[in-house]
Amino acid sequence: MKKMKKLLFLTLSLVMMLSILTGCGKKDSENVTGQEVVTAKIVEMDLTIEEYAFGVDKNQPELLEDVNSFIAQIKANGTFDKICNNYFGDGTPVAVKSAEYDPNKDQLVVATNAAFEPFEYMEGDNYYGIDMEIAAQLADYLGLELVIQNMEFDAVCLSVGQQKCDIAMAGLTIKEDRKEYVNFSDPYYNAAQKLIIKSNDTSFDDCKSVPDIEAVLTAKGEDIKIGVQNGTTGQFYSEGDESWGFAGFPAQTIGYKNGSLAVQDLLNGNIDYVIIDSAPATCITESINDMLGISDGSFKRKVEKFKEIFIEQDGYKRVVEGLKNTLIIAIIGLIIGILIGTVIATVRVIPKYKVLPRILNGICSFYVGLFRGTPIVVQLLVFYYVMLPIMNIHMTGVNVAILVFGLNSGAYISEIMRSGIQSVDPGQMEAGRAVGLSFGTTMMKIVIPQAVKNILPTLGNEFIALIKETSVVSFIGAADLYVAFNYIGSNSYEFMVPYLVMAVIYIVLVLLISLGIKLMERSLRKSDRRN
């Protein structure tokens, strides 16, 4: 742990040095090009009228009844108003802690996307937000231990539909297609979508109604880009949705994992507008504008905000955990891949004079083609969301990632190993057989050790590729380095510094692995000279 923290603080120091170089001679009200800072602003008209509700497991009708009774109760006794006041008024937000998931305990497992302030977000290990406080009180009402599982918004309803979670609490708008996965509770909050634009954009100054705004967006045609959070009403509103009665716009709709990234991209000039839920829109624009504030909008301020989340709010713990998971997935995945790859490579070089070797070779060829022919993210999604539910098996995201990365790596390593085996002088096999060794013994004790020496650099490249590819495991709820830094970015509403630090850590990891491979190669060359 101490070594991990030293590595992380060294990385932070490098980024701070970059901040000093970047911020030199720059006025607080200017960006690096000397131009005035452009902030974000909300067009204060509700584009839609919608209702939030909780999505309950279809196989638990009694839970739906309890949830509806609970909603009625907290609305009648003023509890709901008090919770809302914690985020919209002068109240103080209450921290909510999640227990560890244990199938042997009586627990309420809640699926959420904790990047949707003020409904759900995180500070350190604690959850905050309207939905999270309701979740805590709902668990007490039911006499259950609360477990919160943070995941991508797109996966929230799906996880409940597959009985991985009991209830979805993520600012969910009631929508017909979501009813395929969950039963919606009674609505508890009236929501709307808002349009976010740049502060220097005057296109909507004369708009007096929603049709006026829609007319401006439509008139701009296909040349504009509208940012939305994936799977939300904003996406359906922008693209068009018959069930909602949304006509949509000819503009290109760009999806993001959360609203903060969309607004940041707006200010970076990569998109033209953002459409997201009203309450999060307010939180995001206020926080980002504060970060870009006229009084202190420098890169140094961004580094200070990163340090606040990283150190004071224990963000480094998430980074250490993410780094540990990244290494575990890559290392164990590589070991599984080497074992599978060695077996497959051996099968594929066996002479095909008999039926059994031909059958085994066909199976191995199919396996290699299957895993090399599909992206690893598709393999993760199919295994986690399709195969495991069919087999009624429960596995954590990290364990699934280890297994899938091992299977995927095995397909690639089998080809690497096969080329290594074929690079060994055939006389080595003949010599082994001549002294009475079996084919398998000759392969394991003579041929494969020599093949490994030949393919060591390529195996190192495969390990490096696995390290980098672990960034996709967030699709199945596993917390890797990307998830850790995305958490810091979402909570600071600033992604530049977190992503720079993440990039530096990946570079350091790759350099260390490359150094290790070179040292191993040098050691093997010494061994060859002695022999």
Side-chain angles (χ1 to χ4, degrees):
M1 177 70 76
K2 290 182 179 179
K3 290 182 179 180
M4 291 288 189
K5 289 180 69 174
K6 286 181 180 178
L7 174 61
L8 294 170
F9 281 113
L10 175 62
T11 302
L12 180 59
S13 299
L14 292 173
V15 174
M16 290 179 68
M17 291 175 62
L18 177 62
S19 74
I20 294 172
L21 294 173
T22 312
C24 287
K26 185 182 65 171
K27 295 180 181 179
D28 287 336
S29 60
E30 296 176 344
N31 60 23
V32 292
T33 62
Q35 298 173 332
E36 289 296 316
V37 172
V38 176
T39 57
K41 69 177 181 181
I42 299 174
V43 178
E44 292 297 342
M45 271 185 272
D46 292 341
L47 300 177
T48 64
I49 299 174
E50 54 196 275
E51 294 177 317
Y52 287 168
F54 305 129
V56 181
D57 180 5
K58 285 177 171 287
N59 293 328
Q60 300 187 59
E62 69 287 348
L63 177 59
L64 179 62
E65 294 179 6
D66 290 337
V67 170
N68 285 335
S69 298
F70 174 73
I71 292 173
Q73 176 180 301
I74 63 173
K75 284 198 167 185
N77 63 19
T79 300
F80 179 74
D81 292 335
K82 182 179 178 181
I83 291 173
C84 289
N85 185 61
N86 292 341
Y87 299 92
F88 299 127
D90 56 2
T92 302
V94 177
V96 176
K97 292 186 177 295
S98 171
E100 291 293 328
Y101 174 71
D102 186 342
N104 298 318
K105 291 184 177 180
D106 293 329
Q107 296 178 322
L108 178 69
V109 184
V110 174
T112 194
N113 172 241
F116 198 64
E117 188 178 355
F119 288 91
E120 38 268 327
Y121 62 99
M122 296 187 73
E123 291 184 4
D125 293 330
N126 296 324
Y127 288 88
Y128 290 86
I130 295 170
D131 287 347
M132 296 297 93
E133 290 195 30
I134 293 175
Q137 297 204 24
L138 174 61
D140 290 339
Y141 175 82
L142 297 173
L144 301 173
E145 187 176 43
L146 177 63
V147 175
I148 302 172
Q149 294 192 356
N150 186 21
M151 61 190 68
E152 299 296 333
F153 183 78
D154 287 349
V156 169
C157 286
L158 183 59
S159 294
V160 175
Q162 294 181 339
Q163 288 80 57
K164 296 180 183 294
C165 301
D166 299 308
I167 184 171
M169 305 179 76
L172 280 175
T173 299
I174 299 174
K175 195 171 185 294
E176 285 302 316
D177 58 353
R178 290 175 180 162
K179 292 180 180 179
E180 297 178 16
Y181 304 99
V182 299
N183 285 329
F184 278 109
S185 69
D186 294 334
Y188 67 97
Y189 186 85
N190 293 323
Q193 299 294 307
K194 288 284 181 66
L195 176 67
I196 302 176
I197 62 177
K198 294 178 183 178
S199 57
N200 59 359
D201 190 336
T202 60
S203 303
F204 303 91
D205 288 357
D206 296 330
C207 293
K208 305 298 182 183
S209 64
V210 173
D212 291 342
I213 294 175
E214 293 175 340
V216 172
L217 291 174
T218 301
K220 289 183 178 291
E222 301 177 357
D223 296 332
I224 62 170
K225 297 178 181 179
I226 299 176
V228 298
Q229 182 175 352
N230 289 325
T232 63
T233 308
Q235 179 179 358
F236 308 135
Y237 179 78
S238 178
E239 293 179 342
D241 188 291
E242 291 184 6
S243 63
W244 278 84
F246 297 151
F249 305 103
Q252 183 180 353
T253 300
I254 309 296
Y256 295 85
K257 289 191 173 183
N258 56 61
S260 301
L261 282 170
V263 176
Q264 189 69 59
D265 223 17
L266 168 72
L267 297 177
N268 290 342
N270 296 321
I271 58 176
D272 302 283
Y273 307 108
V274 174
I275 298 176
I276 55 176
D277 294 65
S278 176
T282 300
C283 293
I284 292 169
T285 52
E286 287 179 354
S287 297
I288 290 182
N289 288 346
D290 177 65
M291 184 69 64
L292 297 170
I294 299 301
S295 61
D296 192 7
S298 66
F299 190 82
K300 183 179 179 181
R301 168 72 179 120
K302 297 180 180 181
V303 174
E304 290 172 352
K305 185 66 176 177
F306 173 83
K307 288 171 59 180
E308 177 186 335
I309 304 292
F310 186 81
I311 299 173
E312 296 176 15
Q313 297 185 20
D314 293 338
Y316 73 90
K317 293 182 179 178
R318 288 181 170 273
V319 174
V320 171
E321 181 70 18
L323 181 57
K324 182 186 76 172
N325 287 341
T326 292
L327 292 174
I328 287 174
I329 293 169
I331 292 172
I332 300 180
L334 181 68
I335 293 171
I336 294 173
I338 290 174
L339 294 174
I340 294 175
T342 301
V343 172
I344 293 177
T346 303
V347 169
R348 298 191 73 182
V349 297
I350 293 176
K352 310 301 187 297
Y353 303 126
K354 298 181 180 180
V355 175
L356 181 58
R358 288 201 295 270
I359 294 175
L360 293 176
N361 183 70
I363 295 173
C364 291
S365 297
F366 174 77
Y367 173 91
V368 171
L370 176 65
F371 280 92
R372 292 178 68 190
T374 54
I376 194 166
V377 66
V378 173
Q379 295 164 19
L380 285 168
L381 294 173
V382 169
F383 199 91
Y384 190 74
Y385 289 111
V386 179
M387 294 182 64
L388 288 184
I390 290 175
M391 296 183 292
N392 196 27
I393 297 175
H394 295 278
M395 294 176 64
T396 65
V398 171
N399 289 338
V400 170
I402 289 172
L403 180 58
V404 173
F405 270 69
L407 294 171
N408 179 275
S409 182
Y412 286 92
I413 291 179
S414 70
E415 294 299 287
I416 295 172
M417 187 66 73
R418 186 161 68 98
S419 66
I421 291 172
Q422 291 173 340
S423 69
V424 176
D425 189 334
Q428 298 292 311
M429 172 63 74
E430 295 171 1
R433 299 305 298 274
V435 297
L437 297 179
S438 67
F439 177 85
T441 302
T442 306
M443 285 293 295
M444 294 304 298
K445 292 188 175 182
I446 298 176
V447 178
I448 290 179
Q450 295 182 62
V452 169
K453 291 182 181 181
N454 296 335
I455 65 172
L456 187 59
T458 312
L459 283 178
N461 289 337
E462 174 66 13
F463 184 40
I464 290 172
L466 288 177
I467 289 284
K468 294 185 289 186
E469 287 175 353
T470 56
S471 58
V472 303
V473 301
S474 62
F475 283 92
I476 58 171
D480 70 322
L481 269 178
Y482 167 75
V483 172
F485 282 105
N486 200 53
Y487 156 80
I488 295 174
S490 296
N491 280 270
S492 62
Y493 296 100
E494 198 287 309
F495 292 88
M496 180 188 294
V497 178
Y499 285 176
L500 279 174
V501 175
M502 178 172 61
V504 171
I505 290 178
Y506 274 115
I507 291 171
V508 171
L509 284 175
V510 171
L511 290 176
L512 290 175
I513 294 169
S514 300
L515 177 61
I517 295 296
K518 288 182 179 179
L519 292 176
M520 291 177 65
E521 287 185 83
R522 187 179 303 170
S523 176
L524 290 174
R525 284 198 296 269
K526 288 180 180 178
S527 175
D528 289 341
R529 286 196 294 270
R530 284 198 296 269
N531 292 333

